[in-house]
Amino acid sequence: MRPPSRVSISSILTPAAFKSLLVSSQTPVIPLDATWYLPNVGRNGKEEFLLERIPGARFFDIDEVKDASSPYPHMLPSTEVFNKAMSDLGITRKDTLVVYDKQGNFSAPRLLWTLKIFQHPSIFMLDNYPLYKQEGYEIDTKRLSAVEAAIPAQSTYESPGAIEDRVVTYSDLRQVIIEPLFRKKFNIIDARPYSRWTGDAPEPRPGLPSGHLPDSISIPFNEVLEEGTKEFKSSSKLQELFLAKGVDPDKPIIAMCGTGVTACVLETALGKSGLQREDKPVMVYDGSWTEWAQRSDDKLIVKGRQ
């Protein structure tokens, strides 16, 4: 595998910093709601957007903007599909984008990562929507119809293309995993709950076995967030956590989860921790466990503790 290319690490904004950005920015600031729920939760982010949102926000549907030809959920779209989605939202490359999700820090990091992959120039993430509400900032609760929520003025968005060497494919990861000595040259971190990593709890998708990759490290994504507020922990706490888990910052890091969503929570947390350097960014296995569990050999699916 090639080392990933150099990209900038985007900023995480407190609610107060987000409000300051709205005042100080020299370019339009567009909030992007990326709310998404696991299929067993029974909630719909798009429907909730019609009921409540940050003023001026637009909804980016990670269930729709993807590689529709893939059997695996949330695989990155082609540049053409991404450009159309951004154009349909009326976004230009001059706009400053601030992503958020209603759960706190769950699916917004996935959109943040996607925007980085497609090289949008100015992107931030709100840390986070529940805290924004709690601190009394403005919320738009006007009920919208789907027609009212549509963006009347479309744009022509043209990404320079995806940074493909930050995206790990099944073939890439299999090449790492099949040779024990080679895989020890990488950190493979898994954001799923620990009980799914051990194989003790089922996956939320029926028929999919749980377990983990050989020599992977379990770091459930909620461990990088404060328990009460769901904010990202401080840089020092995050660094302490990752090092205690056995992450070696001198080795390339591959993040994964169930479908490539909460892996991006770990990717964002590593950026804040200072362990992710601009010249060595974290790579994300896009298909994640859903793809691996369906395609790999049984001997490459491990259960129990290591």
Side-chain angles (χ1 to χ4, degrees), residues 153-304:
Q154 296 187 351
S155 64
T156 300
Y157 190 95
E158 294 186 2
S159 164
I163 305 173
E164 294 181 355
D165 54 12
R166 293 200 64 197
V167 185
V168 174
T169 67
Y170 173 79
S171 297
D172 292 333
L173 191 54
R174 181 176 173 79
Q175 180 185 357
V176 170
I177 292 297
I178 59 175
E179 175 51 59
L181 292 178
F182 187 45
R183 69 176 178 243
K184 291 185 183 299
K185 296 180 180 181
F186 290 80
N187 301 282
I188 302 170
I189 57 176
D190 192 323
R192 291 175 300 147
Y194 182 69
S195 58
R196 286 165 57 191
W197 184 87
T198 62
D200 294 327
E203 292 294 310
R205 289 168 177 77
L208 196 68
S210 53
H212 60 271
L213 273 67
D215 291 322
S216 64
I217 301 171
S218 174
I219 309 179
F221 80 92
N222 57 8
E223 292 190 14
V224 305
L225 306 176
E226 294 291 354
E227 185 175 352
T229 63
K230 304 300 181 185
E231 293 172 279
F232 278 96
K233 291 180 177 179
S234 67
S235 298
S236 59
K237 285 184 179 180
L238 288 171
Q239 187 168 128
E240 181 180 355
L241 169 67
F242 285 122
L243 293 176
K245 291 282 188 175
V247 174
D248 183 345
D250 291 327
K251 297 178 181 179
I253 301 173
I254 300 172
M256 63 177 292
C257 57
T259 66
V261 174
T262 56
C264 299
V265 179
L266 297 187
E267 189 268 352
T268 303
L270 280 158
K272 183 173 182 180
S273 75
L275 296 178
Q276 178 185 4
R277 302 193 299 268
E278 289 191 356
D279 62 342
K280 188 187 278 189
V282 174
M283 297 171 281
V284 172
Y285 172 30
D286 202 20
S288 278
W289 186 255
T290 300
E291 181 181 33
W292 187 264
Q294 294 181 63
R295 295 187 63 181
S296 66
D297 304 333
D298 289 343
K299 64 183 180 181
L300 298 180
I301 295 178
V302 181
K303 294 184 183 291

Side-chain angles (χ1 to χ4, degrees), residues 56-229:
R58 302 169 195 182
F59 187 77
F60 191 103
D61 193 340
I62 65 173
D63 261 342
E64 294 291 333
V65 187
K66 62 181 182 180
D67 179 0
S69 68
S70 172
Y72 309 111
H74 305 133
M75 299 292 277
L76 278 170
S78 65
T79 301
E80 292 73 22
V81 169
F82 177 80
N83 286 345
K84 184 179 186 306
M86 298 291 273
S87 298
D88 289 348
L89 288 171
I91 294 170
T92 74
R93 287 182 56 77
K94 294 181 180 179
D95 296 328
T96 295
L97 305 179
V98 180
V99 303
Y100 71 93
D101 70 74
K102 289 193 172 71
Q103 294 190 74
N105 286 310
F106 183 71
S107 52
R110 172 68 187 195
L111 177 53
L112 181 73
W113 178 74
T114 300
L115 294 169
K116 287 189 284 187
I117 291 297
F118 286 104
Q119 305 183 67
H120 188 80
S122 181
I123 43 178
F124 299 88
M125 188 179 70
L126 175 63
D127 187 16
N128 55 46
Y129 184 80
L131 198 60
Y132 175 91
K133 285 185 66 176
Q134 180 182 320
E135 294 181 1
Y137 291 105
E138 184 181 2
I139 299 293
D140 184 353
T141 56
K142 177 187 176 184
R143 182 185 293 265
L144 299 176
S145 68
V147 173
E148 290 173 322
I151 307 300
Q154 296 187 351
S155 64
T156 300
Y157 190 95
E158 294 186 2
S159 164
I163 305 173
E164 294 181 355
D165 54 12
R166 293 200 64 197
V167 185
V168 174
T169 67
Y170 173 79
S171 297
D172 292 333
L173 191 54
R174 181 176 173 79
Q175 180 185 357
V176 170
I177 292 297
I178 59 175
E179 175 51 59
L181 292 178
F182 187 45
R183 69 176 178 243
K184 291 185 183 299
K185 296 180 180 181
F186 290 80
N187 301 282
I188 302 170
I189 57 176
D190 192 323
R192 291 175 300 147
Y194 182 69
S195 58
R196 286 165 57 191
W197 184 87
T198 62
D200 294 327
E203 292 294 310
R205 289 168 177 77
L208 196 68
S210 53
H212 60 271
L213 273 67
D215 291 322
S216 64
I217 301 171
S218 174
I219 309 179
F221 80 92
N222 57 8
E223 292 190 14
V224 305
L225 306 176
E226 294 291 354
E227 185 175 352
T229 63

